[in-house]
Amino acid sequence: MENELSRVVDALPGLVWTAFPDGEIDFLNHRWCEYTGLSVDEGSGQGWLTAVHPDDLPGLVERWRSVLASGEPREMEARLRRFDGEYRWFLFRTYPLRDASGQVVKWCGMNSEINDRSGFEGIGHTRWRLSSSAREDFRSIVDDLPTFVTLMTPDGELELANRQVLEYFGATLEELRARPSASTVHPDDRPDVLAAWRESLENGQPYEVAGRQRRADGVYRWFHMRAFPLRDTDGRILLWYLLQTDVDDRKRAEALLASEKRLLEMIATGASLSTTLTELCVSVETLCANCTCCSILLLNPDTKRLWHAASPNVPKAYTESIDGFAIGPDVSSCGTAAYVVKQVIASDIASDPRWAEFRAVALANGLRACWSTPILSQQNVVLGTFAMFSGKPSSPTREDQEVIAQITHLASIAIERAQNDAALKQSEARKAAILDSALDCVVTIDHEGCITEFNPAAERTFGYRREEVVGQQLADVIIPPALRQEHRRGLARYLATGEERVLGRRIEMTAVRADGSEFPVELAITRIPLDGPPSFTGYLRDMTERKRSEEELRRGEAFLAEAQRLSSTGSFSWRVATDDITWSAQLYRIFGFDEGLPLTLELIGTRVHSDDIPLFYEMIDRARGVGTDFEYEHRLQMPDHSIKYLHMVAHGIRHQDGGVEYIGAVQDVTRRRLAEEALGKARSELAHVARVTTLGVLTASIAHEVNQPLSGIVTNASTCLRMLAADPPNLEGARETARRTIRDGHRASEVITRLRALFGKKNATAEVVDLNDATREVIALLLSGLQKDRVILRPELADDLPPVTGDRVQLQQVVLNLILNASDSMSGVDDRPRQLVIRTERDEDDHVRLTVQDAGVGFDPQGVERLFEAFYTTKSDGMGIGLSVSRSIIESHHGRLWAASNDGPGATFSFSLPSRHGCLADGPSVGAVRGPSVTDAERVMRNVSW
């Protein structure tokens, strides 16, 4: 029994397979293995995928996974490799087998070849019976196959049919056996089906044929039918296997597409409206089985009445009796549809109240149902109605509605085209004026190729007067000699066969002027829709300037691409509403993506450095919300772990629809950034050198500041020992001297801490700095030295001074340098007090100013800028780096350092810095020595210009 069943499955006219619930293949029939050349072992599991065409494999796998997830029957298409290497298209049909609880326990499938997309099956006569057990096994396998499977005896009698066959025809196996051969086949297809079946019975060869089969509800559907014989070892036929595949949807789609193409060609070639609309009705009657006949009525917009334009198979008595009726809310299906501007379905005219006026004439002519749809222009103005009639009560199916939608669209095109043509015929005078003033050349010719019209633009372009060329052959006037014979052949071919090759299309060609010079033109030829012999209008445009402009544009694009490559700059556009992103080729190279790769913000984010991702998405959110220009810097981390620094500038454009589009440029500034970091490091080293150099100058002051608390510590310690040695010990006095010792120790520690902070070597950090406190610390460090040099220090520190943001040590270095310079400038002054004023105050534009004013020797006003040059000094033992470093530090804090001569003796040095409030608004950074790169990213993010 198993062998018999195996032969049955292997002989099925299709590639049969089964799979586990997870999609792993566990069975392949002999035909599958024979076709692909793979064994069962090779094709099992995932092995069958090797037979699928590589271009179809991703889509098929994705579709198969969705089928497994849905648990529902599905169809798929893909190409399978035959054993000889040729790929052919197959339709994959799948069906799930479920247990009692509804869980899928197995998948069954059959692959049917669809390279030849026409075919069906047949019906036979005498019977050859399988054993009952084999019949049951046959049903258990094929009942769940997603196709129709039938077994016939060698004489053509029905032996077995699977569940799909019985359900489609709505009959039992015995009832089907009792029916005449091919009784369910459409009468128009029955002769071909029977002939093919009888021929196969006679010669024992397989057959394929297409035909329509009547379903249990009376609806005909197209099927592709194939029959294959099963022979014994002696070559005798034991059974016929018939496979029927429902191809109705495909047939309908192909027929509808062919009809659309034919109708559009008629419209484009200027066929009369009556001919086009009649062909449209005939097409619908052929496509829709439920349609007895159909009609198209046109609406007179002035009288609001409907008139028949096409009704090839509607009874004449009916059309004559209703022609010219007025539309209204309850005037049959067509009159109501035109009035309410929506589809009206009368499933039964006999009972529909809207048909009261025309019910009798409709029923008398065998019309029982009418589905009417308004035909609308592009401006949604009613042009007419399209109606489908049926001889029995019925409603449109989904397929009917699809046809109605397409046909009404085509009808509107045809009607509007005809109306436009009519309007054109009524405005000859206006068209003549347009021709005369047209900037393009307009040339008309008759069916013999002779020029009948030559407008002024053509005269200017070709160098002929109209009277010179009218009546001349077009080929001899404007077509180069090498192309004239081809032109004549093309015109003759069209006149003889109606074959159109250039009509209705824009083509580029070469034309010739009266002086013999050739030039490029764009040509469009249309046939003039008039009765009589055909005539044509050609519209020509001199393309010389356009070609030159296109070449210049190509060169400009090439220059731009090269400039972007050389400057490491890419351009982009970003439509915020749709997230459509377009990049230049250079920007793809900067990010390391393949050119043309579809771009998303998520994909771009995969390249952004992990530390900068929050800033990246913050920038996106702000760009979505504001819609103005912005500037942004961030880093990329490439797949090879290298880091790139990018600088982006974008300009927001708001379109008429309110949508925002950013146009911008992105530059790879990695080299510049690395150079800046190197420069910053060098500046930091130089600043440290300057501080260390200053250390030597401050040796005396430092020693004084440290020795004073140390002396106190020694004195207090000695006193403490004497008090403890007294008899009795003076404990309270010893305790007090110990406290003074601790106090002096803290004083010494604070001095050392300030020195380490000032002269230590570390990276710059941005913090909130009280400039008054920072200045007082410097004064405390220098005070003893200043007193020794007889300098009278007068600090004038503002009480309401706002804080600044910057590196405390660097700012103290500047103050230290300015005070020491002021002290040095007064070292030789003996005729006046050596007065030094240190002043802090608010400055304009939300800034803070510090001024150091001395009474020293001053400087030459002509050389004030040289004071800040590196290695320029007025001191005999100076290095010339102090003021240069100081200016660099102040400028890196977005400030300014300058010098001015006093009205009297001495000079004043000042610097101005943005206050902390101004820093938050303007986004300063500590640039003398850059911190970690993420700090810079944050700084730039704060400095975004909106």
Side-chain angles (χ1 to χ4, degrees), residues 52-89:
V52 180
H53 194 286
D55 292 346
D56 304 336
L57 184 58
L60 182 64
V61 170
E62 182 178 355
R63 181 67 172 161
W64 178 224
R65 288 172 179 167
S66 68
V67 170
L68 295 175
S70 69
E72 299 295 330
R74 291 288 190 272
E75 292 184 2
M76 305 173 283
E77 290 186 9
R79 287 167 287 184
L80 287 180
R81 186 185 65 243
R82 203 165 58 189
F83 64 89
D84 59 0
E86 180 181 351
Y87 285 93
R88 296 182 68 81
W89 282 99

Side-chain angles (χ1 to χ4, degrees), residues 626-642:
V626 180
T628 55
D629 300 355
F630 66 88
E631 186 173 357
Y632 174 63
E633 286 187 7
H634 68 87
R635 294 168 294 170
L636 301 184
Q637 187 159 23
M638 307 305 290
D640 61 358
H641 303 295
S642 63

Side-chain angles (χ1 to χ4, degrees), residues 200-212:
S200 289
L201 289 177
E202 291 174 3
N203 58 30
Q205 297 299 316
Y207 82 88
E208 293 189 34
V209 68
R212 287 162 286 182

Side-chain angles (χ1 to χ4, degrees), residues 235-246:
R236 290 174 298 187
I237 296 176
L238 300 178
L239 285 174
W240 283 92
Y241 296 90
L242 281 75
L243 179 67
Q244 305 180 67
T245 304
D246 188 336

Side-chain angles (χ1 to χ4, degrees), residues 880-898:
I881 63 174
L883 287 176
S884 175
V885 170
S886 295
R887 173 171 277 189
S888 175
I889 291 173
I890 295 302
E891 288 179 349
S892 71
H893 284 70
H894 295 276
R896 186 170 66 93
L897 172 63
W898 70 97

Side-chain angles (χ1 to χ4, degrees), residues 676-746:
E676 288 176 353
E677 290 182 354
L679 178 60
K681 185 176 180 180
R683 286 175 174 172
S684 178
E685 294 290 343
L686 184 59
H688 182 252
V689 168
R691 291 199 300 271
V692 172
T693 303
T694 308
L695 183 62
V697 179
L698 299 178
T699 301
S701 293
I702 293 171
H704 176 77
E705 289 293 322
V706 173
N707 283 334
Q708 191 175 27
L710 289 180
S711 298
I713 291 171
V714 172
T715 301
N716 288 326
S718 299
T719 303
C720 183
L721 289 176
R722 286 196 304 272
M723 290 182 177
L724 290 174
D727 188 16
N730 186 356
L731 296 180
E732 185 59 34
R735 187 177 294 110
E736 181 60 29
T737 56
R739 290 194 188 99
R740 290 198 295 269
T741 301
I742 293 172
R743 180 199 62 193
D744 291 338
H746 286 321

Side-chain angles (χ1 to χ4, degrees), residues 225-256:
M225 299 175 271
R226 290 184 292 173
F228 296 87
L230 171 65
R231 302 178 185 273
D232 60 15
T233 56
D234 296 327
R236 290 174 298 187
I237 296 176
L238 300 178
L239 285 174
W240 283 92
Y241 296 90
L242 281 75
L243 179 67
Q244 305 180 67
T245 304
D246 188 336
V247 295
D248 190 76
D249 291 340
R250 185 180 299 116
K251 276 280 190 180
R252 183 184 298 274
E254 291 172 352
L256 182 58

